[in-house]
Amino acid sequence: MQNPFGNGNNDDNNQNDPNNPTGLPIPPNFATVVNKENGQIRIAKVGPSFTALLFNLWVPIFRSDWYNLLCMAGVEIIAGMALSLGMGQPFQVAYTLGSYGLGIVWMLIYNMMYFKHLFNIGFVPADERSKELLSNANYWKEPKDKNE
């Protein structure tokens, strides 16, 4: 497969990276994580999630990230109720205003929430590039040795 993200005009079609478990070209700001127990592989962006800004609660649905979907929906409902009580406006108006504000918050933190949840359920970085990228963004901390 030809890599659209680099290698210039290299005519060699065998450009698969042996360290990349998917064999697909991955943009430089995306990390790959793998679950060692069942072999599942997830690829996601590290940094702000503009899709979360635009599509809000649809992003965790498309990623099958039910835990973060429930967390985000709960926060949005509570914020909408709090705004409707504080502003004296109908719930729909307050929920819409709160949703726009929370959209910016989700844009900034959703990808971090996604990766941290994956790490909690047994995923680890699949390669050194992903491990370095996740460590630099403070998403991943190397687990301490249990023998110490």
Side-chain angles (χ1 to χ4, degrees):
M1 170 182 272
Q2 191 172 13
N3 184 350
F5 302 109
N7 296 341
N9 291 326
N10 188 350
D11 290 331
D12 182 16
N13 280 338
N14 189 11
Q15 298 175 1
N16 293 336
D17 183 3
N19 296 326
N20 182 355
T22 63
L24 297 171
I26 298 175
N29 59 342
F30 279 63
T32 305
V33 293
V34 63
N35 190 329
K36 298 290 184 183
E37 293 177 13
N38 57 21
Q40 284 186 349
I41 296 173
R42 302 281 175 101
I43 301 170
K45 181 182 176 196
V46 175
S49 174
F50 292 102
T51 55
L53 175 65
L54 297 174
F55 301 111
N56 210 354
L57 295 178
W58 287 102
V59 177
I61 292 171
F62 292 142
R63 290 186 182 181
S64 298
D65 185 14
W66 310 118
Y67 174 81
N68 284 326
L69 172 67
L70 293 175
C71 291
M72 291 169 68
V75 168
E76 291 217 5
I77 290 169
I78 291 169
M81 288 179 175
L83 285 173
S84 66
L85 291 175
M87 292 176 31
Q89 296 291 325
F91 178 75
Q92 184 62 40
V93 173
Y95 183 77
T96 303
L97 293 174
S99 184
Y100 287 133
L102 284 172
I104 294 170
V105 172
W106 299 140
M107 177 190 79
L108 297 173
I109 68 170
Y110 176 72
N111 283 337
M112 179 183 63
M113 290 170 42
Y114 179 65
F115 275 113
K116 293 211 176 203
H117 179 65
L118 289 177
F119 297 145
N120 286 338
I121 60 174
F123 282 80
V124 294
D127 56 6
E128 286 301 317
R129 187 193 67 80
S130 294
K131 184 184 287 186
E132 182 180 332
L133 183 64
L134 292 164
S135 295
N136 289 343
N138 294 323
Y139 289 11
W140 167 260
K141 288 185 181 177
E142 193 70 38
K144 296 180 181 174
D145 189 15
K146 293 179 181 178
N147 295 332
E148 293 180 9

